[in-house]
Amino acid sequence: MSVLARSVGNAFRNKIRTAAVVAVLAVAIGLALSMLVANQAVGAKVQELNASVGTTLTVNPAGGQGFEGGGEPLTAAEAATAAAVPNVTSVVGTKALRLRTETATTDTANAAAGTAQPGAGGPGGQAGGVTTSLTAAIDAGTLGNRNNNTGSTNGTGTGTGNGTEPVRTFTLPITATGTAAEVDSSGKALDITSGTGLGDYSAASTKALVGTTLAGKNKLATGSTFTVAGKTFTVAGIFDAGTTFGNNAVYLTLAEAQALAETPGELSSMVVTVNSMENVDSTKTALQAALGSSKADVTQGQRNLETAVSSLNSVKGISLVAFIAALATAGLIILLIMVMLVRERRREIGVLKAIGARNRTIGLQFVLEALVLVALGSVVGAAIASFASGGIASALISSSSSSGAGAVDQRGPGGGFGGGFGGQGGPFGGATQLLTSVTASASPGVIAAGITAVFGVAIIGALVPALLTARIRPIEVLRGE
Amino acid sequence: MIEAKDLVRQFTSGDRTIKPVNGVSFELGKGQLASIVGKSGSGKSTLLSLLGALDKPTSGDVVVDGVSLAGLPDGKLTEYRRRDIGFVFQQFNLIPNLSAVDNVMLPMEFAGVRTSARAQRARELLEQVQLDPEKQTRRTNRLSGGEQQRVAIARALANEPKLILADEPTGNLDEQTGGHIIELLSSLSRDHNTTILVVTHDRGLARKADRRFRLQQGQLVEEAAAARN
Ligand SMILES: Nc1ncnc2c1ncn2[C@@H]1O[C@H](COP(=O)(O)OP(=O)(O)O)[C@@H](O)[C@H]1O
Ligand SMILES: [Mg+2]
């Protein structure tokens, strides 16, 4: 019989009470662990978001909200001006083109009009476009049908269509972006899953990077060829942008895209990277001033992310507070239970002292008894947390995002044509998508850290009653005799 | 062996002060069996608690083998209770959810005796107090009063104390069972040469005692000892 064995035995002296105490502790511990898991998951997501696109600004031609829309295009001169603004670490110019699938029908003009007019990327969509041998990877779906109708109406309006025309297959345009560096429109490095990059991004080249879904749809692999404006391009690599729309795209070198668009030196947008998060706001102001508001619009590419991040941060704060509160509750439960047990066993403590037990032996016995209860509570609590933490985290996030990010403009990077290239908000992606992609899985490491904290608090909670036992005098053994 | 020097213990409740022990002095030699009688509330338990360092006297001192308890810190008093004293109470005061063997092993555990030696000695002691072997591993709250008191005596003997203090050990037992306990204590004092001080109303034990005391008005008065038979 050791102190530990005695403590375990004492923990089970009153089984019904032990079960009740363990159940209450388990709820508190389960809640604490769930909150910690949510906190960690959200924290990791915030870090990831900040690391990915936290420090980029997007510059578009003034007034141009849509694809290639608006006023004077940007030029290399503006890129140089932007690069000279303090705290700017890099300026990547891009030239976006919309590629239109070559059709075998003779009704090309009609098709072109039909495709261009709806302007999925926003107002001011450029008519015409560049033809390609590629077929878009995105099914037109309902959007296509709606646009198809519009197209027919337009066709009728221009007088080229006729009423008996068979149903035309509408295809969404493919985005081709000429870029001066191996980054996407938000400044994030491209994730090339096979093949290589384009090498020198400043020179004209017939090499191209193709998105995964677009490559799949057109059965392209590294080394395959396709045509744009009749010119043959070779697939140098396949990239994964992580979104359906982002993968329905082609990257070319900037010079090549400018040549294809017959607009040498012109940029449709610039991605400006700022050296740190703290400087983003001031740099945005400085950049806007340097370029002139009549010439360019500077937008914070991660505006939507900021909302997402701030809403995630509030979830993180809430979960931290809840974790601490639940932890403190567990500690308080232990404190009260042990105080009760000490009072109840006054006489027995007197007996132990009368037969020569040291104060620390008795104190240790009570702390160990408390830890047995906490251990049982932790086992059940961890089980609760592993089932509940996912639900608790998403409940926290959805309640927070419906009052926060969800209520505001939800623009996503790569979320539709618009969002990606600084246009008006697209219906895709956005904060909600980011938020729901937070996976709160109860990792053993986090659970272990949480349980360590629980035990720490429990020891503190049990120490108070354990110290109370030292004050009980051995004469208590005679009480009631 | 043990000497009480002008012991006083006073209790104050409100503005009333009582002195159930008011100037007690006596000395007991090694191996003596002594009895104390006295009316209920006369201060017998109070005196025993002072001798066993469960409580501290208001004034006076207890000297055990030349060591004064008055000067000892609490830690040393704990050690004194553990090594030199064995208590037997009217209410038995066993740990109810532990077995008889575990109860007897407790004082040895506190004294740092090895586990195997503890179990061995506990079984020997329980044999000495004549507890049925099959009851040794039974939880003590499932034992009868007489059996519990046997276990308590075995526990008091565990660390071979110099002095056993027994406070009405037969008070909760029927006459016959009490008689067995008296026999046991008497033979222990004889066989082990252990000093035993028993508070009792039992005439049989009083008859067996080497020294007989009466506590009245806070004073301890020795009565003529009967010849031990
Ligand atoms: N802790 C205490 N506080 C106040 N009075 C006490 C306390 N302990 C004992 N007494 C009083 O001291 C007197 C002697 O008690 P006790 O020694 O238990 O008597 P006995 O054991 O002879 O029956 C009683 O009147 C009792 O009420
Ligand atoms: Mg008494």
Side-chain angles (χ1 to χ4, degrees), chain B residues 153-210:
Chain B
I153 291 169
R155 183 178 71 181
L157 291 168
N159 287 335
E160 298 178 43
K162 292 174 181 163
L163 175 65
I164 287 180
L165 296 170
D167 193 353
E168 302 192 39
T170 61
N172 274 7
L173 302 175
D174 61 66
E175 204 172 323
Q176 198 190 353
T177 316
H180 290 310
I181 295 296
I182 297 297
E183 276 300 325
L184 185 60
L185 286 172
S186 156
S187 68
L188 284 173
S189 98
R190 203 169 23 212
D191 302 348
H192 290 255
N193 202 23
T194 306
T195 311
I196 301 183
L197 182 57
V198 193
V199 169
T200 186
H201 294 291
D202 189 282
R203 289 180 185 283
L205 181 59
R207 233 185 294 121
K208 288 187 166 69
D210 304 310

Side-chain angles (χ1 to χ4, degrees), chain A residues 43-70:
Chain A
K45 189 70 188 180
V46 166
Q47 221 168 33
E48 184 193 316
L49 292 180
N50 280 342
S52 64
V53 279
T55 59
T56 57
L57 296 169
T58 306
V59 182
N60 290 294
Q65 290 286 323
F67 198 90
E68 291 258 334

